[in-house]
């Protein structure tokens, strides 16, 4: 068997081999069925290579659907992924937008499976959510189930009626370390963009007033790293007031979303779903800079805002996209409207990435082993499984126990 392709650049394999070995240990407890096809939606990161290799070894065919935010910036890496045995990257026209059409999703699956294939969908961001009701009927005998990695992706599956199991790992506590890692990158890279494109520093209190919308793992992480940059006046808002009770004692000002937007001009949107309403954008009386923790398509529902005329795109580059509100105020989306950590080699230098990858993979393996043990619709990976992953990870990387 050839050596796995774990890195794209010669200098970046410090954790890749250990990560690959860890994921292999998790998978070793299961024997997937023959003629298995796995559809995997994933960021096109170098840090994902160990995971892609393990999935490709589990399946007869791994159909890799790269998320557009990172695929466009990492064309050379896509070439490396294409050389992994049993791994096939989909054509560019199979993307988040086109897969909203059930017939397009059906066409992708039909071209990838044979008559006796079983297939599993490892989703990331709800790519198959719009088509799942249709797919679960058309492929009733061959679709084993779905797993979903993210909270914003899970949201898209809510209120859908489908008779296949969906196992979510979006709210596991073992995802928190990777969320804090992402938060650090988001703050750091937002600062770099402000410096390079606007000649500003993020801690320029005289010009930038910083607000954070959303007080989940990512929002709390963003606040932590903002405070590390000695930003003294941070406002935070969340629709769930319980999440705000921790902040006053830590010197962070709690606020309504309306007041925060009216007073701040550097916004970190950390909700995963619709952080800024059309009415709030219409109320803007100044230009604002916005960094999002996921694609602006989800975080701001950007296509809807453009369709309604609340935002009009006027230009920009891969670092900044500029939009105008109805009141002619400028809205600058940092990182081109994608999560502000996408330019970084996510997962490189920090093995927390392998925690949620292991959970995502394990959920799929359990579906393959006993899909009848899961009910139709949405359910979470068990606490027992989460503890097992945490203990094995601690032992593998840090000699725990």
């Amino acid at each position: 068997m050839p050596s796995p392709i774990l890195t794209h650049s010669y200098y970046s394999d410090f954790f890749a081999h250990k990560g690959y070995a860890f994921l292999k240990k998790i998978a070793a407890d299961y024997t997937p069925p023959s003629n298995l096809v796995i559809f995997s939606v994933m960021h096109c990161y170098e840090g994902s290579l160990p995971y892609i290799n393990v999935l490709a070894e589990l399946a007869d065919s791994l159909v890799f659907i790269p998320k557009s935010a990172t695929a466009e910036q990492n064309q050379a890496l896509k070439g490396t992924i294409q050389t992994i045995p049993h791994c096939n990257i989909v054509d560019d026209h199979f993307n988040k937008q086109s897969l909203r059409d059930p017939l397009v999703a059906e066409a992708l699956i039909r071209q990838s499976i044979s008559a006796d294939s079983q297939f599993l969908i490892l989703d990331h961001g709800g790519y198959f959510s719009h088509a799942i009701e249709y797919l679960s009927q058309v492929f009733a005998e061959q679709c084993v189930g779905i797993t979903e990695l993210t909270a914003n992706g899970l949201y898209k599956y809510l209120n859908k009626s489908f008779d296949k199991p969906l196992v979510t790992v979006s709210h596991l506590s073992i995802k928190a370390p990777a969320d804090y890692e992402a938060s650090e990158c988001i703050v750091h890279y937002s600062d770099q963009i402000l410096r390079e494109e606007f000649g500003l520093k993020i801690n320029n209190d005289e010009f930038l007033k910083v607000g954070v919308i959303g007080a989940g793992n990512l929002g709390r992480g963003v606040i932590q790293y903002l405070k590390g940059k000695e930003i003294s006046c941070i406002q935070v808002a969340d629709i769930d007031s319980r999440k705000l009770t921790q902040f006053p004692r830590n010197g962070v000002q709690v606020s309504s979303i309306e007041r925060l937007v009216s007073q701040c001009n550097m916004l970190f949107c950390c909700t995963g779903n619709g952080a800024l309403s059309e009415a709030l954008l219409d109320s803007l009386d100044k230009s604002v800079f916005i960094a999002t923790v996921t694609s602006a398509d989800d975080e701001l529902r950007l296509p809807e805002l453009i369709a309604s005329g609340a935002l009009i795109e006027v230009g920009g580059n891969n670092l900044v996209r500029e939009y105008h509100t109805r009141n002619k105020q400028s809205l600058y989306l940092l990182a081109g409207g994608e999560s502000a950590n996408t330019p970084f080699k996510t997962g490189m230098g920090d093995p927390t990435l392998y925690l949620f990858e292991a959970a995502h993979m394990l959920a799929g393996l359990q579906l393959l082993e006993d899909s009848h043990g899961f009910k139709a619709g949405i359910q979470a990976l068990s606490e027992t499984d989460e503890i097992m992953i945490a203990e094995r990870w601690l032992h593998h990387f840090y000699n725990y126990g």
Side-chain angles (χ1 to χ4, degrees):
M1 183 175 176
S3 298
I5 302 166
L6 302 180
T7 62
H8 176 67
S9 50
Y10 72 92
Y11 53 81
S12 60
D13 64 349
F14 291 100
F15 280 115
H17 287 276
K18 285 185 74 71
Y20 172 76
F22 170 68
L23 294 171
K24 287 283 287 183
K25 286 180 180 179
I26 298 294
D29 296 334
Y30 297 85
T31 303
S34 59
N35 207 9
L36 169 67
V37 178
I38 296 177
F39 294 88
S40 176
V41 181
M42 202 183 311
H43 272 300
C44 199
Y45 288 138
E46 185 168 355
S48 301
L49 285 173
Y51 185 40
I52 296 170
N53 274 273
V54 174
L55 293 181
E57 292 168 17
L58 289 170
D60 288 88
S61 175
L62 173 65
V63 181
F64 180 76
I65 305 165
K67 292 175 77 69
S68 58
T70 47
E72 293 169 1
Q73 300 174 19
N74 293 292
Q75 292 297 322
L77 179 58
K78 286 175 64 177
T80 298
I81 294 170
Q82 190 70 65
T83 65
I84 295 174
H86 307 293
C87 182
N88 301 288
I89 300 181
V90 301
D91 293 336
D92 290 343
H93 66 272
F94 290 117
N95 53 38
K96 179 168 63 173
Q97 287 72 33
S98 68
L99 289 172
R100 292 171 178 260
D101 184 339
L103 296 180
V104 173
E106 179 188 6
L108 171 60
I109 291 172
R110 288 201 184 280
Q111 75 175 37
S112 307
I113 66 173
S114 59
D116 60 346
S117 296
Q118 288 185 286
F119 70 86
L120 175 71
I121 297 173
L122 303 183
D123 207 350
H124 180 168
Y127 271 48
F128 286 89
S129 60
H130 297 275
I132 193 59
E133 293 172 316
Y134 176 76
L135 297 177
S136 66
Q137 294 177 359
V138 171
F139 299 104
E141 300 301 318
Q142 292 179 280
C143 179
V144 176
I146 312 101
T147 70
E148 172 55 53
L149 183 65
T150 65
N152 67 298
L154 179 63
Y155 177 86
K156 298 173 187 177
Y157 282 101
L158 297 178
N159 302 318
K160 304 284 186 182
S161 178
F162 51 96
D163 57 4
K164 294 294 178 181
L166 184 153
V167 182
T168 174
V169 298
S170 60
H171 292 91
L172 300 183
S173 61
I174 57 174
K175 279 197 69 186
D179 285 342
Y180 280 99
E181 166 74 7
S183 300
E184 180 182 22
C185 288
I186 288 165
V187 172
H188 177 70
Y189 195 63
S190 297
D191 192 16
Q192 283 191 231
I193 295 174
L194 288 169
R195 291 169 187 250
E196 184 166 335
E197 296 295 309
F198 300 99
L200 295 170
K201 290 176 64 177
I202 202 167
N203 60 356
N204 186 332
D205 288 346
E206 292 302 314
F207 189 83
L208 293 179
K209 306 299 181 185
V210 180
V212 178
I213 302 174
N217 284 344
L218 285 162
R220 292 196 301 273
V222 165
I223 290 170
Q224 173 184 326
Y225 292 109
L226 288 170
K227 291 180 72 175
K229 289 184 175 292
E230 299 182 353
I231 298 175
S232 58
C233 299
I234 304 169
Q235 292 191 40
V236 59
D238 196 287
I239 58 173
D240 185 346
S241 57
R242 294 172 298 176
K243 294 181 179 179
L244 298 176
T245 56
Q246 63 189 290
F247 292 107
R249 63 184 294 272
N250 291 319
V252 178
Q253 183 179 347
V254 297
S255 177
S256 67
I257 293 176
E258 292 77 11
R259 187 175 71 180
L260 183 150
V261 171
S262 71
Q263 295 181 354
C264 298
N265 61 351
M266 176 67 233
L267 306 180
F268 287 88
C269 294
C270 310
T271 68
N273 182 48
L276 294 173
S277 67
E278 189 171 329
L280 281 173
L281 293 174
D282 287 343
S283 71
L284 286 176
D285 59 0
K286 60 187 177 303
S287 297
V288 296
F289 305 91
I290 293 181
T292 60
V293 300
T294 187
S295 168
D297 287 359
D298 295 326
E299 184 61 57
L300 301 180
R301 297 180 187 167
L302 187 60
E304 297 173 29
L305 295 173
I306 292 172
S308 70
L311 289 178
I312 299 171
E313 185 171 359
V314 296
N317 54 39
N318 65 325
L319 293 180
V320 180
R321 302 300 298 176
E322 182 181 358
Y323 297 81
H324 284 172
T325 69
R326 291 190 179 100
N327 293 329
K328 306 302 181 185
Q329 300 298 329
S330 289
L331 185 150
Y332 301 102
L333 285 184
L334 306 188
E338 298 297 337
S339 172
N341 68 323
T342 55
F344 277 79
K345 289 185 174 182
T346 292
M348 307 307 288
D350 189 336
T352 56
L353 172 76
Y354 303 116
L355 282 165
F356 65 77
E357 287 179 342
H360 202 205
M361 179 182 68
L362 179 63
L365 290 168
Q366 291 182 346
L367 284 171
L368 291 168
E369 183 175 78
D370 182 22
S371 62
H372 299 294
F374 293 85
K375 65 179 191 275
I378 297 169
Q379 55 239 273
L381 190 71
S382 74
E383 183 179 5
T384 300
D385 289 323
E386 184 181 9
I387 292 170
M388 178 273 291
I389 291 170
E391 289 180 344
R392 289 193 182 187
W393 182 85
L394 289 166
H395 176 76
H396 184 81
F397 286 99
Y398 299 105
N399 299 315
Y400 170 75

